[in-house]
């Protein structure tokens, strides 16, 4: 047994030396032996600095290989997927050992890892050493599968900076709670704005950037291929706190009178920014199975509290979104939703007609989680 152990240590040491040399050649710079050990045995890493070094090397290696003509596009995609998986393992371990290292975890989440999110988050639960905890987590994820995904459709024109902050805060506060499928339908008025959007794309590799050519047709395609629930957002939305998105989707799915989940709304909101006036707020709120979610009767309030359809990160059922587009198409043709402003205005008109007359309630969050920072019009 001792001989075998010595041989395995020798074999591992030789492998590390070979890999260190090969990786140093590929990256064009020396690679520390400790970094390579982190590649092979990440559980042995101890400090944030060690984790950061290994993550940096993986990102450099990924970039080098993806820029190399030696690999096909399919192989490059596989390289990106494997890099994301390894970054997830390292970021989760780093967060478990040092809670202050959240930036590494946020960097991984910004890549929208989807399927890895649940299994990797399980590693940092308080009971991660318990077999029964893993089993319970797995069963819960399976039972709630239809609530585990959310499509996000964001509209943007000439506001790359606002869009960057929307995406950054979306991934920081919302992605850890649910799998996101993010699409940005964007346009621009000049090459300067075009360049700004191009600079964003490498920052958010998991986001589908769709250049607007025919807004109505492209929106229809995105809605038709969306998950069971979808969020409409404008680019000047900014998240600053998290909430239980899955619980909100459950409440929305289970309440036949609720039209949508409105993250913008919360009981402390009494001023309407666009009208520059005080709103009539709900006199009472309905309780739900989630302590974080509350309902209200729209007609008992005013302004934002009685504005059923908006593009301010509100979340709708896919089936209702499809019905709305179909009805708008019959009334106005594609021009009825050929621009975000028309889409919201006309969507609100039909929301209060017979198409959605059965929906009388909205769902809000018990605390502030986001705002729309309206600083310029497009």
């Amino acid at each position: 047994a001792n001989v075998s152990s010595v041989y395995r240590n020798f074999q591992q040491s030789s492998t590390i030396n070979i890999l260190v040399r090969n990786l140093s050649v590929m990256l064009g710079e020396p690679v520390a032996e400790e970094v390579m050990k982190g590649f092979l045995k990440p559980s042995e890493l101890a400090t944030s600095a060690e984790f950061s070094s290994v993550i940096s090397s993986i990102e450099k290696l990924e970039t080098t290989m993806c820029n190399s003509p030696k690999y096909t596009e399919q192989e490059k995609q596989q390289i990106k997927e494997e890099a994301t998986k390894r970054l997830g393992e390292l970021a989760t371990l780093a967060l478990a050992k040092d809670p202050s290292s959240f930036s590494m975890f946020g960097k991984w989440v910004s890549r929208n890892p989807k399927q890895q999110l649940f299994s990797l988050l399980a590693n940092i639960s308080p009971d991660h050493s318990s077999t029964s905890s893993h089993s319970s987590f797995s069963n819960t994820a399976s039972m709630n599968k239809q609530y585990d995904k959310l499509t996000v459709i964001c509209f943007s024109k000439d506001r790359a900076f606002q869009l960057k902050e929307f995406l950054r805060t979306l991934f920081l506060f919302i992605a850890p709670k649910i799998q996101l499928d993010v699409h940005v339908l964007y346009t621009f008025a000049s090459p300067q704005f075009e360049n700004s959007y191009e600079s964003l794309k490498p920052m958010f590799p998991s986001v589908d950037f769709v250049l607007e050519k025919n807004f109505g047709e492209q929106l229809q395609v995105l809605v038709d291929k969306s998950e069971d629930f979808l969020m409409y957002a404008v680019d000047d939305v900014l998240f600053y706190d998290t909430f239980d998105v899955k619980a909100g989707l459950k409440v929305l799915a289970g309440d036949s009178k609720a039209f949508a989940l409105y993250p913008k709304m919360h009981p402390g909101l009494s001023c309407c920014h666009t009208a520059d006036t005080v709103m009539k707020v709900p006199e009472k709120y309905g309780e739900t199975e989630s302590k974080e979610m509350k309902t209200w009767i729209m007609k008992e309030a005013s302004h934002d509290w009685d504005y059923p359809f908006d593009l301010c990160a509100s979340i709708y059922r896919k089936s209702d979104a499809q019905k709305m587009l179909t009805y708008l198409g019959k009334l106005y043709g594609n021009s009825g939703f050929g621009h975000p402003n028309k889409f919201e205005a006309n969507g609100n008109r039909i929301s209060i007609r017979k198409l959605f007359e059965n929906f009388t309630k909205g769902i809000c969050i018990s605390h502030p989680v986001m705002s729309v920072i309206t600083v310029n019009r497009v």
Side-chain angles (χ1 to χ4, degrees), residues 153 155 215-223 232 325 337 343:
I153 301 175
F155 309 112
F215 182 89
E217 291 182 1
Q218 290 171 302
L219 176 60
Q220 183 74 66
V221 170
L222 292 175
V223 170
Y232 286 132
L325 293 183
F337 52 99
F343 181 36

Side-chain angles (χ1 to χ4, degrees), residues 55-325:
I55 287 175
S56 178
S57 295
I58 290 176
E59 290 178 320
K60 289 178 182 177
L61 181 60
E62 176 190 23
T63 300
T64 300
M65 296 178 75
C66 287
N67 289 337
S68 172
K70 296 180 181 179
Y71 303 97
T72 65
E73 290 303 315
Q74 183 177 1
E75 289 172 333
K76 290 177 181 179
Q77 184 59 37
Q78 292 175 341
I79 290 168
K80 292 178 180 179
E81 291 174 356
E82 290 303 316
T84 297
K85 289 180 182 178
R86 183 51 63 90
L87 287 179
E89 295 170 2
L90 290 164
T92 304
L93 285 170
L95 191 61
K97 293 186 176 184
D98 181 5
S100 66
S101 61
F102 186 78
S103 60
M104 284 181 272
F105 188 78
K107 179 184 290 189
W108 168 66
V109 168
S110 71
R111 299 168 71 108
N112 197 11
K114 294 186 177 180
Q115 295 299 328
Q116 298 94 39
L117 193 57
F118 284 114
S119 59
L120 291 177
L121 283 177
N123 290 335
I124 59 170
S125 66
D127 301 321
H128 70 277
S129 60
S130 167
T131 303
S132 61
S133 173
H134 279 294
S135 175
S136 174
F137 187 91
S138 176
N139 291 338
T140 301
S142 176
M143 290 170 59
N144 298 338
K145 187 175 182 181
Q146 61 180 317
Y147 307 115
D148 290 344
K149 298 179 181 179
L150 176 67
T151 293
V152 178
I153 301 175
C154 177
F155 309 112
S156 181
K157 179 184 178 183
D158 293 345
R159 298 196 296 200
F161 173 76
Q162 285 96 323
L163 176 61
K164 179 174 78 73
E165 291 305 290
F166 164 70
L167 293 173
R168 181 184 68 83
T169 58
L170 175 76
F171 283 117
L172 180 61
F173 291 106
I174 306 303
K177 294 291 185 178
I178 198 166
Q179 295 181 42
L180 294 179
D181 173 34
V182 184
H183 307 268
V184 174
L185 186 54
Y186 74 103
T187 187
F188 46 82
S190 71
Q192 181 181 5
F193 290 118
E194 179 184 11
N195 293 336
S196 296
Y197 281 110
E198 288 301 318
S199 69
L200 285 189
K201 294 178 181 180
M203 300 181 190
F204 304 97
S206 65
V207 173
D208 175 32
F209 287 85
V210 181
L211 178 60
E212 181 185 323
K213 296 179 180 178
N214 184 310
F215 182 89
E217 291 182 1
Q218 290 171 302
L219 176 60
Q220 183 74 66
V221 170
L222 292 175
V223 170
D224 286 343
K225 70 178 184 179
S226 73
E227 301 294 343
D228 292 339
F229 301 92
L230 63 91
M231 172 191 288
Y232 286 132
V234 284
D235 52 16
D236 47 3
V237 166
L238 191 72
F239 288 95
Y240 39 76
D241 201 356
T242 189
F243 68 98
D244 193 339
V245 187
K246 287 191 291 183
L249 299 187
K250 289 182 185 179
V251 173
L252 177 58
D255 192 335
S256 61
K257 295 294 185 181
F259 182 48
L261 168 62
Y262 303 90
K264 181 180 76 170
M265 309 305 294
H266 61 88
L269 193 62
S270 60
C271 178
C272 177
H273 170 71
T274 53
D276 192 23
T277 188
V278 176
M279 299 184 287
K280 180 183 178 183
V281 301
E283 294 182 1
K284 60 181 179 179
Y285 297 91
E287 299 300 323
T288 71
E289 62 183 30
S290 168
K291 293 181 179 180
E292 234 183 342
M293 309 296 153
K294 298 182 181 297
T295 62
W296 82 95
I297 306 298
M298 291 189 176
K299 290 302 179 184
E300 295 179 357
S302 72
H303 294 87
D304 292 354
W305 287 104
D306 188 25
Y307 194 73
F309 181 69
D310 66 32
L311 309 179
C312 301
S314 297
I315 299 173
Y316 306 89
R317 303 174 185 88
K318 174 183 178 178
S319 56
D320 293 331
Q322 289 176 313
K323 288 178 184 177
M324 177 175 284
L325 293 183

